[in-house]
């Protein structure tokens, strides 16, 4: 029944995806959204998976692959890290990713990024990483990153597809429309390098105030909403590597 529901959803709400080929000709930046222990590492916190999760593991693996290629090419990377003040709750979620804790750190497979010169790390204290990039003086670290690096395309990956990834993408698209992110042209979501959490209905019913959140369905909805707002969605990312003659 669950499989039939997903098949029907994808039939009624199709998400056209493309193959993206990256080259030196178009300045591209990679945005990593919340690939931290608190959302990805088994047992790491209130919002971490309680058991190994294929979709989340696949997202991490693909993000690592992209990060390595971007660093090899010295292309810019912007990594958002969920990081909250212990006295400021983020409703409706339980306490998570408290600033300075292991939960708010990059997953072990990506912690090497902290020492890479082409990487900008940004701790954020809200769902939307675009808003979370605003400093006290009103400047925006993400906007400055785009402008400084003259980025025309951002490739967005991370977790959760339908929450933090989607909110960031929607804000970036609106900022692009308002010419705040010039010279940015395209916002691309890479679906295999995105993931969300799984909270089946029968589990949610036993948690006060919880909403059911079936993983595959909500992942698809997140991609569909991003596409509807103007983002492109890629199912494959390749690198155009020049052949030396």
């Amino acid at each position: 029944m669950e499989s039939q529901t997903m098949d029907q959803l994808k039939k009624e709400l199709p998400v056209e995806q493309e193959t993206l080929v990256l080259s030196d000709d178009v300045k591209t930046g990679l945005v990593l959204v919340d690939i931290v222990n608190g959302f990805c590492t088994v047992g790491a916190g209130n919002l971490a998976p309680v058991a190994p999760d294929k979709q989340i593991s696949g997202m991490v693996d693909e993000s690592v692959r992209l990060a390595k290629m971007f660093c090899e090419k010295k292309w810019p990377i912007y990594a958002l890290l969920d990081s909250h003040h212990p006295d400021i709750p983020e409703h409706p979620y339980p306490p998570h990713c408290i600033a300075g804790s292991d939960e708010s750190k990059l997953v072990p497979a990506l912690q090497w990024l902290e020492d890479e010169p082409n990487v900008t790390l940004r701790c954020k204290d809200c769902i939307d990483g675009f808003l979370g990039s605003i400093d006290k003086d009103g400047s925006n670290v993400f906007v400055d990153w785009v402008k400084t690096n003259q980025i025309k395309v951002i490739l967005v990956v991370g977790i959760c597809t339908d929450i933090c990834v989607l909110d960031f993408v929607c804000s970036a698209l609106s900022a692009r429309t308002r010419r705040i992110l010039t010279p940015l042209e395209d916002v691309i979501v890479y679906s295999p390098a995105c993931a969300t959490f799984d909270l089946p209905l029968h589990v949610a019913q036993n948690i006060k105030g919880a909403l059911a959140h079936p993983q595959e369905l909500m992942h698809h909805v997140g991609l569909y909403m991003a596409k509807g707002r103007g983002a492109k969605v890629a199912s494959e990312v390749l690198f155009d590597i020049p052949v030396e003659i």
Side-chain angles (χ1 to χ4, degrees), residues 156-207:
V156 186
V157 302
I159 191 168
C160 292
T161 318
D162 55 314
I163 305 173
C164 294
V165 171
L166 178 62
D167 279 20
F168 172 80
V169 165
C170 290
S171 291
L173 289 165
S174 293
R176 180 195 65 178
T177 299
R178 296 201 64 210
R179 302 294 190 266
I180 294 171
L181 286 172
T182 304
L184 185 70
E185 296 175 359
D186 288 321
V187 177
I188 304 175
V189 179
Y190 178 35
S191 58
C194 289
T196 193
F197 66 93
D198 191 31
L199 187 62
L201 177 60
H202 70 275
V203 176
Q205 287 175 330
N206 295 316
I207 303 174

Side-chain angles (χ1 to χ4, degrees), residues 37-106:
N37 289 316
F39 296 145
C40 305
T41 302
V42 175
N46 289 325
L47 297 183
V50 297
D53 184 285
K54 183 178 179 180
Q55 188 183 92
I56 293 175
S57 296
M59 174 273 295
V60 171
D61 290 344
E62 273 300 292
S63 297
V64 170
R65 179 182 76 89
L66 291 177
K68 287 180 177 179
M69 286 299 295
F70 270 72
C71 285
E72 183 178 312
K73 291 177 168 291
K74 297 180 173 56
W75 290 357
I77 296 176
Y78 191 78
L80 289 160
L81 313 176
D82 207 50
S83 182
H84 297 277
H85 190 284
D87 297 328
I88 303 178
E90 185 177 49
H91 299 299
Y93 304 105
H96 63 281
C97 298
I98 301 303
S101 71
D102 285 341
E103 283 188 56
S104 65
K105 293 180 180 179
L106 287 166

